[in-house]
C-alpha cells in the first residue's frame, strides 16, 4: 500500500508541475488527436473530485466514530483519489480549452481555479502524511472546498452564462409582451436562447460569434455577417440548419437540441423581413407572414408530420455527406427515409457538374430545387435521369421549350414550377402528358390567362397557377389539430382547431385528401360511434393550404366482464399486463418502453374476453398498435377471431391479413379494424401472429417482426 501511495503521489506531483508549465506556453501548443479525446473527457472526470473531496471531509469530521487504523487508511485512499482525479480533471480541462472558442477572462478564471484546487488537494495528501495539527489540515480542507465551489461556479459561467448560480435570486425578469417588445426580443431571441446561446455567448463564442449581445451578433463571427437582409436563402445562419447533421457546419451541432420546423420558419421570415431588431409586432401589417408566424410560434402548437413511404434502397450517410457543399444541400426528406431532396444556392457559384454529380443518387432523389440557377437546355439533360423525381423547381432558370422535352421521362413528377422562365403555352405539350403531374406553376411566363383556361379544360385534374407560386414570401399554413387527447367517449364532442384565426378546416372520412374545394367544412363538433380516421387541412386567403393531417379518433367501446392474456408478452415489454388493453391510456409509438405497450415477438399475441349476464351483439373489433417500422414494429401477419358460447369450444369466425408496409413510413399509433357479421357469443379469443421475416428492403431483413398493442376496442 505504501509503495502504491508513493507512486500515485509522484504522478500527482508531476501533473502539478505540468499544469503550471502549460499555463505559460499554451499559445504554442498543438494537440494531437489522442490528447484532444482526453480533453473531451473533462466533463466526465470533473465529477469524481467533487464527490471524493466531500466524502473525505465527512470522514475526517466523523473519524472518532471509527477504528483509528481503518479510518486513516480509508482517508488516505480518499485523499489520493481526490488529488489524482482533481489533477486529471484540471489537465483534461486544459486540453479541452484549446479546442473551442471560449471567452478569455472567464476561461482563465476557470483554469486558474482548477489548478489551485489541484494543488490544494496535493497539499492535503502531503499534510495527511505529516504530523501537523488536525486544525491546520481541516483549515486547508476548507480552503480546498472553497476552491472546488469557485471552480464549479466559473465552469458554470462557461456552459450556462454569467450569473447562472444567483440568477433565481435576482427576481422575476421583465415580462415581454407584443406591445412593449420588438419581434426580435419577443420571438426570435427566445429561439436563439434555447438553441444557440450555449455555444455563442461572451464566455464561449464558437466561431467567434456572439449572439447574446446584439451589436456583436450584427457584426458576425470569423466568417463575417450571419445573414443577408431579405435573402434567407443566402444567409449563413439559415443554410446551417439544412446541412447534414454530421457536418461540422450544421447548427446546432449533432447531440444538441435541434430547431423545430416552425422555429426555422420564424427565423427565415425574420431575415426575409429585413432582420430588424427594434420593430414591434404591432408595426407589422395585420396579415404579414412574420406577424402570423410569431403568433403561431408563441402558441406552441404542435405540428404533425405526414410522411411518404418509399420502397427503393437508401444510400449511405457517407455518400450524402460527400454531396453537400456550401452551394448544394442534400438531405433525407424525413428521418429514416431513403428518399432525398436537393437544393442549390448562390447563382454565381453554380456548376453544371455539381448537378450531374447527383446521378449517384438518381434513384433516391424525389425533390430538386434549381430556382434562380443558370441552368439552360443543355444543363437540364442530367435531370432527365432522375426517374423518381416528384418535385422540380426551375423558377427563373434559362430553360425553354427545347429543354422541357427532356423532362418527358419523369413519369413520377407531381409538381413542376417554371415561374420566371421564357416558356410559352406551345412549349408545355411534353410535360402536360406526364401521368402524375398535378401542379404546374407558370407565374411571370409567356402563358396568359386565356391559354391557361384552355389548358385547364384539357387537363381538368391539373392545377395550373399563373398568379402565385411557392416561394418564401408566401407561407404555408400549419396543419389543424385534434383537441381531444387519448381515448374519446362516444358522447364526447370531437374537436378540431387551428392556432390562426380565420382558418377554414375541411375534412374527409373516406381516406381521400381534402383540398380547398373538396371535403366537408368543419363548422361544428361531431361524434363518432367507432374508431375513425380523419384527414383534415386548413385554408385561408393569402396563404397556401396546409398539408393534410391524418388523425385516428379512438372511440371507447364496450368493456367485457372478463379479459385475460392467454400468452405472455416479451419480458422487455410487459406493459401493465392485461390492464394495458382496457385502461384507455394511449401509448406513444416512438417510446415502446412506455407501460402502455405490450410487446410480442417470439410467440403470438393472444387475448380472451367474455361477457356474463348481458351478451352484446358485436359488429367490429379494433386493435390499436404501434407502427414503427424502423424498430421492427409492423402490423401482424394475420389476426384470427375465435368465438363460442363455451370457453373450451371456440370456432374461427374471422381471419384478417393486414396490408404490410412497402417501405419506411411515419412512426405513429395505428388501428386495425376487424369487422364481424353481428355475432353474439359469450366467449372470444383474438390471436395476432407476427411477421416471420422482415422484407428485403428493411435493414433487418429476414428477422422476425414485433407486434406492440396497447388498446382493444369492441363495438356493438
Amino acid at each position: 500500500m505504501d509503495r502504491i501511495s508513493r507512486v500515485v503521489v509522484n504522478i500527482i506531483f508531476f501533473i502539478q508541475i505540468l499544469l503550471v508549465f502549460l499555463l505559460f506556453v499554451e499559445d504554442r501548443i498543438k494537440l494531437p488527436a489522442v490528447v484532444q479525446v482526453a480533453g473531451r473527457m473533462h466533463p466526465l472526470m470533473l465529477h469524481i473530485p467533487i464527490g471524493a473531496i466531500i466524502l473525505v471531509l465527512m470522514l475526517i469530521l466523523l473519524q472518532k466514530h471509527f477504528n483509528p487504523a481503518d479510518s486513516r487508511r480509508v482517508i488516505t485512499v480518499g485523499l489520493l483519489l481526490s488529488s489524482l482525479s482533481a489533477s486529471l480533471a484540471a489537465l483534461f480541462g486544459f486540453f479541452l480549452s484549446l479546442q473551442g472558442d471560449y471567452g478569455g477572462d472567464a476561461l482563465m478564471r476557470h483554469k486558474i481555479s482548477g489548478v489551485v484546487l489541484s494543488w490544494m488537494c496535493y497539499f492535503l495528501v502531503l499534510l495527511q502524511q505529516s504530523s501537523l495539527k488536525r486544525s491546520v489540515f481541516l483549515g486547508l480542507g476548507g480552503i480546498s472546498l472553497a476552491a472546488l465551489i469557485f471552480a464549479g461556479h466559473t465552469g458554470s459561467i462557461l456552459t450556462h452564462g454569467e450569473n447562472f448560480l444567483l440568477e433565481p435570486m435576482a427576481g422575476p425578469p421583465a415580462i415581454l409582451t407584443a406591445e412593449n417588445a420588438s419581434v426580435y426580443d419577443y420571438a426570435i431571441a427566445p429561439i436563439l436562447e434555447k438553441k444557440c446561446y450555449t455555444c455563442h455567448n461572451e464566455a464561449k463564442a464558437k466561431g467567434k460569434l456572439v449572439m447574446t449581445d446584439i451589436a456583436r451578433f450584427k457584426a458576425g463571427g470569423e466568417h463575417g455577417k450571419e445573414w443577408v437582409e431579405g435573402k434567407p436563402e443566402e444567409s449563413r445562419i439559415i443554410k446551417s440548419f439544412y446541412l447534414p447533421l454530421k457536418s461540422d457546419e450544421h447548427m446546432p451541432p449533432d447531440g444538441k437540441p435541434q430547431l423545430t420546423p416552425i422555429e426555422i420558419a420564424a427565423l427565415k421570415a425574420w431575415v426575409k423581413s429585413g432582420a430588424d431588431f427594434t420593430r414591434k409586432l404591432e408595426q407589422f401589417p395585420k396579415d404579414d407572414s412574420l406577424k402570423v408566424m410569431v403568433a403561431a410560434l408563441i402558441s406552441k402548437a404542435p405540428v404533425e408530420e405526414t410522411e411518404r413511404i418509399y420502397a427503393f434502397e437508401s444510400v449511405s450517410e457517407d455518400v450524402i455527406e460527400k454531396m453537400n457543399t456550401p452551394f448544394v444541400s442534400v438531405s433525407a426528406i424525413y428521418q429514416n427515409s431513403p428518399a432525398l431532396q436537393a437544393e442549390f444556392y448562390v447563382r454565381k457559384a453554380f456548376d453544371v457538374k455539381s448537378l450531374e454529380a447527383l446521378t449517384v443518387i438518381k434513384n433516391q432523389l424525389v425533390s430538386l430545387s434549381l430556382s434562380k440557377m443558370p441552368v439552360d437546355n443543355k444543363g437540364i439533360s442530367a435531370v432527365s435521369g432522375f426517374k423518381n423525381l416528384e418535385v422540380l423547381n426551375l423558377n427563373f432558370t434559362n430553360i425553354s421549350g427545347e429543354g422541357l422535352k427532356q423532362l418527358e421521362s419523369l413519369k413520377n413528377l407531381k409538381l413542376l414550377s417554371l415561374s420566371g422562365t421564357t416558356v410559352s403555352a406551345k412549349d408545355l405539350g411534353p410535360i402536360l402528358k406526364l401521368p402524375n403531374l398535378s401542379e404546374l406553376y407558370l407565374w411571370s411566363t409567356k402563358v396568359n390567362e386565356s391559354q391557361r383556361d384552355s389548358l385547364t379544360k384539357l387537363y381538368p385534374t391539373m392545377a395550373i397557377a399563373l398568379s402565385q407560386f411557392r416561394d418564401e414570401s408566401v407561407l404555408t399554413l400549419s396543419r389543424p389539430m385534434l383537441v381531444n387527447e387519448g381515448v374519446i367517449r362516444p358522447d364526447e364532442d370531437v374537436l378540431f382547431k387551428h392556432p390562426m384565426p380565420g382558418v377554414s378546416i375541411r375534412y374527409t372520412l373516406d381516406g381521400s385528401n381534402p383540398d380547398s374545394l373538396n371535403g366537408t367544412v368543419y363548422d361544428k363538433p361531431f361524434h363518432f360511434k367507432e374508431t375513425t380516421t380523419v384527414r383534415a387541412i386548413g385554408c385561408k386567403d393569402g396563404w397556401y393550404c396546409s398539408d393534410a393531417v391524418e388523425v385516428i379518433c379512438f372511440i371507447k367501446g364496450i368493456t367485457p366482464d372478463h379479459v385475460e392474456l392467454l400468452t405472455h408478452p416479451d419480458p422487455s415489454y410487459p406493459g401493465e399486463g392485461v390492464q394495458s388493453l382496457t385502461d384507455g391510456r394511449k401509448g406513444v409509438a416512438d417510446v415502446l418502453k412506455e407501460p402502455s405497450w405490450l410487446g410480442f415477438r417470439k410467440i403470438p399475441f393472444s387475448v380472451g374476453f367474455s361477457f356474463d349476464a348481458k351478451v352484446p351483439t358485436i359488429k367490429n373489433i379494433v386493435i390499436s398498435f404501434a407502427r414503427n417500422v424502423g424498430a421492427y414494429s409492423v402490423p401482424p401477419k394475420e389476426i384470427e377471431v375465435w368465438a363460442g358460447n363455451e370457453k373450451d369450444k371456440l370456432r374461427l369466425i374471422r381471419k384478417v391479413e393486414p396490408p404490410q408496409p412497402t417501405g419506411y413510413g411515419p412512426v405513429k399509433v395505428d388501428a386495425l379494424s376487424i369487422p364481424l357479421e353481428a355475432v353474439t357469443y359469450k366467449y372470444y379469443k383474438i390471436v395476432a401472429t407476427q411477421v416471420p421475416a422482415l422484407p428485403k428492403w428493411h435493414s433487418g431483413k429476414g428477422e422476425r417482426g414485433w407486434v406492440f398493442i396497447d388498446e382493444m376496442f369492441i363495438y356493438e
Side-chain angles (χ1 to χ4, degrees):
M1 180 66 185
D2 290 339
R3 183 178 180 182
I4 295 175
S5 177
R6 287 194 299 271
V7 172
V8 173
V9 170
N10 288 332
I11 293 174
I12 295 170
F13 177 73
F14 170 77
I15 296 175
Q16 308 313 307
I17 300 301
L18 179 60
L19 285 170
V20 175
F21 172 76
L22 292 175
L23 283 175
F24 290 96
V25 298
E26 62 178 298
D27 293 335
R28 304 178 184 178
I29 296 175
K30 292 184 179 180
L31 298 178
V34 174
V35 180
Q36 291 183 34
V37 172
R40 298 187 182 196
M41 293 178 65
H42 172 69
L44 171 66
M45 182 61 66
L46 65 85
H47 294 90
I48 299 176
I50 295 174
I53 292 172
I54 295 175
L55 175 63
V56 168
L57 291 177
M58 292 297 295
L59 288 174
I60 293 172
L61 293 174
L62 300 174
Q63 190 173 10
K64 62 181 180 180
H65 299 289
F66 301 97
N67 181 283
D70 292 339
S71 64
R72 183 175 180 82
R73 281 194 292 269
V74 173
I75 291 172
T76 298
V77 173
L79 285 172
L80 289 172
L81 176 62
S82 301
S83 183
L84 181 61
S85 59
S87 301
L88 291 175
L91 183 62
F92 289 179
F94 182 88
F95 294 153
L96 181 62
S97 70
L98 299 179
Q99 300 178 48
D101 298 309
Y102 296 86
D105 293 337
L107 177 60
M108 184 55 67
R109 288 195 299 268
H110 185 55
K111 283 197 291 190
I112 292 177
S113 61
V115 173
V116 169
L117 175 62
S118 177
W119 275 97
M120 291 295 101
C121 292
Y122 174 63
F123 288 146
L124 282 174
V125 172
L126 297 180
L127 289 176
Q128 197 262 348
Q129 296 176 350
S130 68
S131 58
L132 289 177
K133 292 182 179 181
R134 187 169 181 266
S135 58
V136 176
F137 183 83
L138 289 176
L140 186 60
I143 296 174
S144 300
L145 184 60
L148 174 66
I149 295 172
F150 184 78
H153 173 62
T154 54
S156 72
I157 292 175
L158 292 176
T159 56
H160 299 286
E162 289 285 350
N163 203 34
F164 171 73
L165 181 63
L166 301 177
E167 186 180 26
M169 300 176 62
I175 298 176
L176 298 179
T177 67
E179 291 72 28
N180 67 14
S182 66
V183 168
Y184 175 79
D185 290 330
Y186 193 41
I188 303 303
I191 298 174
L192 302 178
E193 182 178 5
K194 288 190 297 182
K195 306 296 175 68
C196 307
Y197 279 7
T198 54
C199 293
H200 299 284
N201 54 67
E202 289 88 344
K204 179 183 180 183
K206 285 195 171 182
K208 298 182 180 178
L209 175 63
V210 176
M211 293 184 172
T212 51
D213 179 81
I214 291 179
R216 296 175 69 178
F217 188 21
K218 289 180 178 179
E222 61 184 11
H223 299 295
K225 195 172 181 178
E226 287 296 309
W227 63 82
V228 178
E229 287 84 354
K231 299 180 179 180
E233 69 277 1
E234 298 180 18
S235 299
R236 186 188 310 278
I237 189 172
I238 302 299
K239 290 194 288 185
S240 68
F241 303 145
Y242 294 100
L243 294 174
L245 195 59
K246 293 184 178 179
S247 171
D248 291 339
E249 300 298 322
H250 176 89
M251 294 297 156
D254 188 10
K256 298 282 188 179
Q258 301 297 304
L259 275 76
T260 64
I262 195 170
E263 289 173 338
I264 294 176
L267 284 167
K268 289 171 70 175
W270 177 67
V271 173
K272 183 77 174 178
S273 71
D276 194 300
F277 286 79
T278 60
R279 195 176 180 188
K280 295 183 178 181
L281 195 63
E282 63 183 11
Q283 295 175 315
F284 286 83
K286 181 179 179 181
D287 295 328
D288 184 88
S289 298
L290 177 59
K291 186 172 185 177
V292 181
M293 178 61 66
V294 170
L297 182 68
I298 295 170
S299 71
K300 299 180 180 179
V303 180
E304 296 183 55
E305 295 291 339
T306 300
E307 302 168 342
R308 293 287 311 282
I309 298 175
Y310 298 91
F312 45 74
E313 295 181 355
S314 60
V315 296
S316 68
E317 287 289 334
D318 291 339
V319 171
I320 297 176
E321 189 171 348
K322 290 178 181 178
M323 294 284 172
N324 281 276
T325 73
F327 312 113
V328 183
S329 172
V330 179
S331 62
I333 60 172
Y334 57 83
Q335 189 176 10
N336 292 330
S337 173
L340 302 177
Q341 56 191 351
E343 185 172 4
F344 285 74
Y345 304 93
V346 187
R347 183 181 182 91
K348 294 181 180 179
F350 179 79
D351 185 350
V352 72
K353 291 182 179 179
S354 59
L355 177 59
E356 295 171 348
L358 296 182
T359 55
V360 177
I361 55 171
K362 63 181 181 180
N363 294 327
Q364 292 77 23
L365 195 63
V366 299
S367 178
L368 174 63
S369 176
L370 292 166
S371 178
K372 301 179 181 178
M373 295 298 110
V375 182
D376 55 21
N377 295 337
K378 182 179 179 181
I380 204 67
S381 60
V383 177
S384 62
F386 304 147
K387 306 298 183 182
N388 290 318
L389 202 62
E390 297 177 357
V391 178
L392 178 59
N393 185 340
L394 296 174
N395 291 345
F396 301 98
T397 58
N398 300 329
I399 191 171
S400 65
E402 288 297 317
L404 292 183
K405 294 180 181 179
Q406 301 184 60
L407 304 181
E408 290 181 287
S409 60
L410 303 181
K411 305 300 182 183
N412 291 311
L413 195 64
K414 297 179 180 179
L415 184 153
L416 176 62
S417 190
L418 298 169
S419 301
T421 64
T422 61
V423 298
S424 62
K426 66 179 182 180
D427 298 327
L428 300 176
I431 60 171
L432 290 172
K433 297 177 182 178
L434 293 175
N436 291 303
L437 189 66
S438 59
E439 294 182 69
L440 181 60
Y441 294 89
L442 299 169
W443 179 83
S444 190
T445 64
K446 295 180 179 179
V447 181
N448 58 41
E449 290 188 7
S450 176
Q451 293 170 326
R452 189 274 309 273
D453 293 340
S454 299
L455 292 173
T456 300
K457 291 179 181 179
L458 292 173
Y459 303 93
T461 61
M462 187 180 301
I464 303 176
L466 292 182
S467 59
Q468 55 179 309
F469 65 99
R470 292 185 181 273
D471 74 353
E472 294 180 353
S473 65
V474 180
L475 297 177
T476 301
L477 290 170
S478 60
R479 298 176 176 90
M481 297 174 294
L482 176 67
V483 177
N484 309 73
E485 295 184 359
V487 178
I488 305 170
R489 300 188 311 273
D491 60 345
E492 183 180 352
D493 287 340
V494 177
L495 302 173
F496 279 86
K497 74 172 184 178
H498 197 280
M500 185 186 300
V503 171
S504 172
I505 297 176
R506 289 180 175 267
Y507 68 92
T508 60
L509 304 177
D510 59 1
S512 63
N513 279 325
D515 55 37
S516 59
L517 299 176
N518 300 311
T520 304
V521 176
Y522 174 78
D523 52 8
K524 61 180 180 179
F526 43 72
H527 299 276
F528 293 131
K529 293 183 178 180
E530 297 183 3
T531 294
T532 304
T533 300
V534 183
R535 289 190 178 185
I537 63 169
C539 294
K540 180 180 173 67
D541 290 342
W543 291 72
Y544 292 122
C545 290
S546 72
D547 294 332
V549 59
E550 180 179 291
V551 296
I552 301 177
C553 301
F554 289 97
I555 308 300
K556 182 177 176 60
I558 60 175
T559 303
D561 295 309
H562 302 284
V563 184
E564 176 186 5
L565 278 176
L566 304 178
T567 55
H568 296 291
D570 189 278
S572 299
Y573 304 95
E576 295 180 338
V578 70
Q579 183 180 348
S580 294
L581 298 174
T582 58
D583 60 6
R585 189 160 66 88
K586 297 301 300 165
V588 181
D590 54 359
V591 187
L592 297 175
K593 281 287 187 181
E594 188 183 18
S596 298
W597 294 111
L598 298 171
F600 293 82
R601 191 183 197 188
K602 295 181 180 179
I603 58 176
F605 161 78
S606 182
V607 63
F609 59 91
S610 62
F611 302 90
D612 291 338
K614 184 180 179 181
V615 180
T617 298
I618 299 177
K619 297 180 180 179
N620 193 21
I621 298 175
V622 172
I623 300 295
S624 171
F625 75 100
R627 185 184 290 271
N628 189 335
V629 179
Y632 296 17
S633 178
V634 295
K637 182 180 183 297
E638 63 180 23
I639 299 179
E640 297 177 344
V641 179
W642 298 69
N645 288 318
E646 296 183 35
K647 188 175 183 179
D648 298 329
K649 295 182 179 180
L650 306 181
R651 66 182 183 89
L652 181 65
I653 62 170
R654 191 78 164 92
K655 184 176 180 179
V656 177
E657 294 185 0
Q660 295 297 316
T662 57
Y664 292 101
V667 175
K668 62 179 181 178
V669 178
D670 213 336
L672 285 172
S673 180
I674 312 170
L676 303 176
E677 297 181 356
V679 295
T680 305
Y681 293 103
K682 185 175 182 180
Y683 297 97
Y684 293 85
K685 179 176 72 173
I686 299 176
V687 180
T689 305
Q690 301 88 341
V691 172
L694 294 170
K696 293 182 179 180
W697 53 262
H698 197 282
S699 60
K701 61 182 179 181
E703 296 188 45
R704 194 173 185 84
W706 281 85
V707 171
F708 284 89
I709 296 175
D710 76 337
E711 288 293 323
M712 176 177 65
F713 304 95
I714 304 168
Y715 302 108
E716 294 184 276

